[in-house]
Amino acid sequence: MMDEARYNSLVAAAFKRILAAADTFDPDVLEAEATGDKVTLTAASGEKCIINTQRAVWQIWVAGQGQGIHFSHDDASRAWKDDKGKGLELFAFVSDVVRHLTGEPLVYPS
């Protein structure tokens, strides 16, 4: 069951994983910045991928490639899935946005 403490823990882990993957990039290719409830990934072109919390509904929102997608945590699969049932998963979606911005996917550490 989701509550504020669990949501905060899940978001912190997701943001940490995204930042760890972004740290493998040359900062001239992709720069990552974390500020509280938001992670911003900025490509050399100036294009951005923004990942932030949506605390009122316990979701993570990702803006990139001209769209905004809301992800809810699914306890059964232990994954962040899009809330429209399109079959999108948070980490794969962010990786695809980064590939669009830089030509290289975001690869997450094990």
Side-chain angles (χ1 to χ4, degrees), residues 88-97 99 108:
L88 301 174
E89 188 274 331
L90 172 69
F91 298 110
F93 182 74
V94 171
S95 181
D96 287 345
V97 172
R99 180 183 299 116
Y108 301 97

Side-chain angles (χ1 to χ4, degrees), residues 27-91:
D28 290 334
V29 175
L30 184 73
E31 193 170 317
E33 179 183 7
T35 54
D37 285 347
K38 180 169 69 172
V39 172
T40 303
L41 305 175
T42 306
S45 66
E47 291 179 279
K48 298 180 186 293
C49 174
I50 299 171
I51 305 111
N52 71 328
T53 61
Q54 298 290 295
R55 291 188 177 282
V57 289
W58 293 333
Q59 293 181 327
I60 293 177
W61 180 73
V62 181
Q65 291 182 262
Q67 58 185 328
I69 306 289
H70 290 90
F71 293 89
S72 298
H73 193 267
D74 177 65
D75 285 335
S77 64
R78 301 173 77 175
W80 289 93
K81 296 183 176 181
D82 76 281
D83 69 344
K84 301 294 186 214
K86 295 179 182 177
L88 301 174
E89 188 274 331
L90 172 69
F91 298 110

Side-chain angles (χ1 to χ4, degrees), residues 5-26:
R6 179 158 164 68
Y7 173 76
N8 289 336
S9 175
L10 290 167
V11 166
F15 281 12
K16 181 178 179 180
R17 187 172 185 214
I18 291 166
L19 289 167
D23 282 347
T24 66
F25 274 79
D26 180 325

